[in-house]
Amino acid sequence: MLEPSNTDDRRPDVETWEQEKQRLLAPPVITTAWVAYLDILGYREMIKDAVASDQLDAHIMRLRTAVHFLGKSVAIAREHDMVESIRVFSDSIFIVARKNNTIQDLTGVHDMIYLLCDLVGSLAEQGLFVRGAAVLGKHHDEADLVVSPALIRAYDMERRESCYPRVLVDEDVRHCYLTCADLIQEGHIEGPGIDRQRDRLWRDHDGRCFVNYLARFHDLEACCTPPRGGPFLLAHKKRVEASMAKYTADPHVAAKYQWLATYHNRFCRHVGDAKLGSIDDFIIHGCDEQGPLPLPSEVRQK
């Protein structure tokens, strides 16, 4: 027979409720943060195609590899306090880095862009291309609640303005990033050389600034033994070519991969024969190369 708990047994519950009440009545902490929202393109179609072709197991293994590399990026970012939080839900990725208005904090935007290059590049190497946006704005985040005007803005930019498989950055992010690059160049804060800083943001043919995730090439060349920059670009070429061949009958989708091919080729030509050996081995043939350009003239502007 069940017996009622005595007063001593109930006391921890009362204390827990008092703690919960204090938490619920506490004023919310609203911060200014760097926020990025990413969407994996064609995710539903990938799952449907995998089921229809009885290739779901192979698709899951491919996703497992992508999640493995994503997890490594996330672990490194958290270990070095590069970001506040990273959440993955279905085909969406949500990243937050706080802004505290100090000189050192300017490295927060550098860390965000660095992480986006690594993360988006890793996914692209597995044939998972993303579209998204990174913004600066108001944000509130607690254990079971997120209220974020910044996230809404990044989501709207991804849906309405990204158009192609690119991660746009708003003008606040661009300005702070270029200021950070100046400070690194002048020796006020530590960071990669100016060339590697400059290559992380490009401006597209429509004037929009976006994350140049192929700049991951420079990190793989500098930090891996043997260097992995070349194999990374070749894997990217193979994935883009496969997607172009798959969607030739769908002009709307084909235009997105035409953009990717143009972007890929412009980056390879930007890197040059000196680092690639022969550009022709890396170029995707049969695409219009009127596309994105690097930002060498803007890096030093505040």
Side-chain angles (χ1 to χ4, degrees), residues 37-283:
Y37 172 81
L38 308 176
D39 178 66
I40 299 175
L41 298 181
Y43 188 80
R44 290 186 182 89
E45 288 73 13
M46 290 179 197
I47 299 299
K48 290 178 181 177
D49 290 348
V51 172
S53 61
D54 197 25
Q55 294 290 317
L56 186 58
D57 54 346
H59 183 72
I60 290 172
M61 292 178 68
R62 176 185 170 199
L63 286 175
R64 183 187 295 159
T65 301
V67 169
H68 168 74
F69 285 108
L70 173 60
K72 289 179 66 176
S73 296
V74 170
I76 292 170
R78 286 178 172 155
E79 179 184 351
H80 295 281
D81 295 323
M82 293 169 67
V83 294
E84 181 77 15
S85 65
I86 301 178
R87 298 180 181 180
V88 182
F89 41 99
S90 185
D91 56 350
S92 300
I93 303 169
F94 169 37
I95 306 170
V96 178
R98 306 290 182 187
K99 185 176 186 299
N100 299 313
N101 297 314
T102 64
I103 289 181
Q104 287 76 18
D105 180 65
L106 282 173
T107 61
V109 68
H110 163 268
D111 292 342
M112 171 72 85
I113 299 301
Y114 180 93
L115 175 63
L116 287 172
C117 283
D118 188 51
L119 192 155
V120 177
S122 295
L123 292 174
E125 197 171 4
Q126 301 302 316
L128 299 173
F129 300 105
V130 307
R131 189 173 62 192
V135 306
L136 177 65
K138 297 297 182 183
H139 177 79
H140 172 75
D141 190 346
E142 54 188 75
D144 51 3
L145 177 66
V146 174
V147 179
S148 178
L151 176 59
I152 292 172
R153 185 154 160 257
Y155 177 84
D156 286 344
M157 282 179 65
E158 183 272 324
R159 292 293 174 185
R160 300 173 184 175
E161 302 174 37
S162 289
C163 302
Y164 305 107
R166 59 184 181 175
V167 179
L168 296 179
V169 300
D170 72 1
E171 284 303 303
D172 288 331
V173 173
R174 185 191 72 88
H175 171 78
C176 290
Y177 179 81
L178 298 181
T179 300
C180 180
D182 280 339
L183 292 172
I184 290 174
Q185 184 186 20
E186 294 164 7
H188 298 295
I189 54 179
E190 294 183 359
I194 193 68
D195 290 338
R196 285 169 66 188
Q197 285 285 329
R198 178 176 61 198
D199 236 12
R200 296 194 193 281
L201 292 184
W202 277 20
R203 189 174 295 283
D204 207 346
H205 63 286
D206 60 358
R208 302 306 304 269
C209 195
F210 69 98
V211 175
N212 172 24
Y213 68 81
L214 289 180
R216 184 171 181 257
F217 164 87
H218 301 300
D219 301 317
L220 293 174
E221 285 290 287
C223 302
C224 295
T225 305
R228 284 197 57 245
F232 165 65
L233 288 181
L234 289 173
H236 188 264
K237 171 187 175 180
K238 179 181 177 181
R239 296 296 191 180
V240 175
E241 288 177 332
S243 297
M244 292 176 70
K246 181 177 179 180
Y247 294 106
T248 52
D250 187 334
H252 176 71
V253 178
K256 301 180 189 300
Y257 293 104
Q258 175 71 31
W259 183 93
L260 266 178
T262 299
Y263 164 50
H264 174 93
N265 285 357
R266 292 304 295 266
F267 181 81
C268 292
R269 296 190 190 283
H270 175 64
V271 169
D273 284 318
K275 292 185 178 179
L276 295 180
S278 172
I279 288 180
D280 195 60
D281 294 336
F282 293 84
I283 290 296

